[in-house]
Amino acid sequence: MKIRDKFAAEPRTFSFEFSPPRTPDAVIRLFETAERLRGLAQSLLAFSRPAAEEATSLDPNEVVERALDLCRYQTLKAGVRLERALAPGLPRILGVPNQLEMALINLIVNAAQAMNERPTRELRLSTEADGDMVKIRVADTGPGIPPRLQASIFEPFVTTKPEGQGTGLGLSTVLMVVERHHGKIDFTTAPERGTTFTLTLPAIR
Ligand SMILES: Nc1ncnc2c1ncn2[C@@H]1O[C@H](COP(=O)(O)OP(=O)(O)O)[C@@H](O)[C@H]1O
Ligand SMILES: [Mg+2]
């Protein structure tokens, strides 16, 4: 069945009420919705428009700082304490800034969401040189990733979040970006202690 026929067969009505926001809560929900849509749009763009942008020489710490800037709203809102441990004098990496920033934003937002309602909410971003590679780590003090999920979190549409909050596209997008940069991603996680994602990217010789 063609998509158009399917839609014709299942008529849908869209209805919405328009009333001005009454409380700051409504404004916050509006922001949250906008952020979610932006995240979804970015993921879909990354899937559908591979390598549209050119790779350039980048300072890994600047990539981290820009990613943090771009998701300041989510981390502030979640009441997360942010710690940076960015090694000075790192070698540069070859990368597409938007893609790498988006990958880090996905990891940061996941970390902030995982720590929601936890007593301690600490997000730690660190960088270090490791031989001819650069490592970027995003560590949280969330609940950890349950063992039954660990093998599948990088698959598209795997999510534990309620509908409307998670798309399950975040980590699959991150993996795709990292592979396109000839790097790798792995994680360590401990129940009730937290999770650390590590991106390992080749330094420019
Ligand atoms: N830092 C983390 N701590 C605990 N669980 C995580 C973390 N990051 C990802 N996850 C788990 O992996 C799933 C997939 O993540 P992701 O691909 O970004 O999709 P989404 O965030 O839309 O659910 C999440 O729903 C969550 O269960
Ligand atoms: Mg996510």
Side-chain angles (χ1 to χ4, degrees), residues 110-111 114 140 144-145 149 153 158-161 166-168 170-171 195 197:
N110 276 350
D140 66 55
I145 302 174
L149 259 189
I153 51 167
V158 169
T159 181
T160 55
K161 293 166 195 172
T167 59
L171 289 177
T195 303
F197 281 88

Side-chain angles (χ1 to χ4, degrees), residues 105-107 109-110 113 159 161 165-171:
I105 289 169
N106 271 303
L107 296 177
V109 170
N110 276 350
Q113 288 179 337
T159 181
K161 293 166 195 172
Q165 273 183 42
T167 59
L169 286 174
L171 289 177

Side-chain angles (χ1 to χ4, degrees), residues 24-195:
D25 269 8
V27 178
I28 288 169
R29 276 199 299 279
L30 196 64
F31 266 103
E32 285 172 351
T33 307
E35 291 287 343
R36 269 205 311 274
L37 289 175
R38 191 174 64 134
L40 179 61
Q42 280 179 335
S43 303
L44 293 173
L45 278 174
F47 270 114
S48 62
R49 207 186 45 184
E53 298 141 294
E54 260 180 52
T56 52
S57 161
L58 302 168
D59 175 345
N61 290 342
E62 280 174 18
V63 179
V64 171
E65 292 289 1
R66 263 199 308 272
L68 277 171
D69 260 6
L70 289 167
C71 52
R72 207 198 315 258
Y73 170 74
Q74 281 102 326
T75 44
L76 270 183
K77 184 193 66 179
V80 167
R81 201 174 72 87
L82 175 67
E83 191 190 324
R84 290 180 188 73
L86 307 182
L90 283 180
R92 298 177 77 84
I93 55 177
L94 190 63
V96 181
N98 286 343
Q99 290 183 7
L100 289 176
E101 284 160 25
M102 186 191 61
L104 286 176
I105 289 169
N106 271 303
L107 296 177
I108 294 167
V109 170
N110 276 350
Q113 288 179 337
M115 293 189 289
N116 197 15
E117 293 171 17
R118 302 273 299 172
T120 353
R121 295 188 288 276
E122 288 171 11
L123 176 68
R124 185 172 195 270
L125 273 100
S126 55
T127 54
E128 75 175 273
D130 180 9
D132 50 8
M133 307 297 274
V134 172
K135 287 189 190 291
I136 303 177
R137 290 199 175 87
V138 180
D140 66 55
T141 55
I145 302 174
R148 61 175 173 82
L149 259 189
Q150 289 176 14
S152 59
I153 51 167
F154 290 106
E155 284 168 25
F157 306 114
V158 169
T159 181
T160 55
K161 293 166 195 172
E163 206 180 314
Q165 273 183 42
T167 59
L169 286 174
L171 289 177
S172 51
T173 312
V174 177
L175 176 64
M176 187 184 60
V177 167
V178 169
E179 285 179 345
R180 233 178 246 163
H181 285 78
H182 310 291
K184 65 178 182 120
I185 178 167
D186 39 36
F187 64 89
T188 58
T189 186
E192 300 307 314
R193 300 272 305 276
T195 303

Side-chain angles (χ1 to χ4, degrees), residues 9-28:
E10 291 173 27
R12 289 166 195 211
T13 51
F14 296 93
S15 64
F16 60 91
E17 282 172 29
F18 184 80
S19 52
R22 281 182 302 273
T23 62
D25 269 8
V27 178
I28 288 169

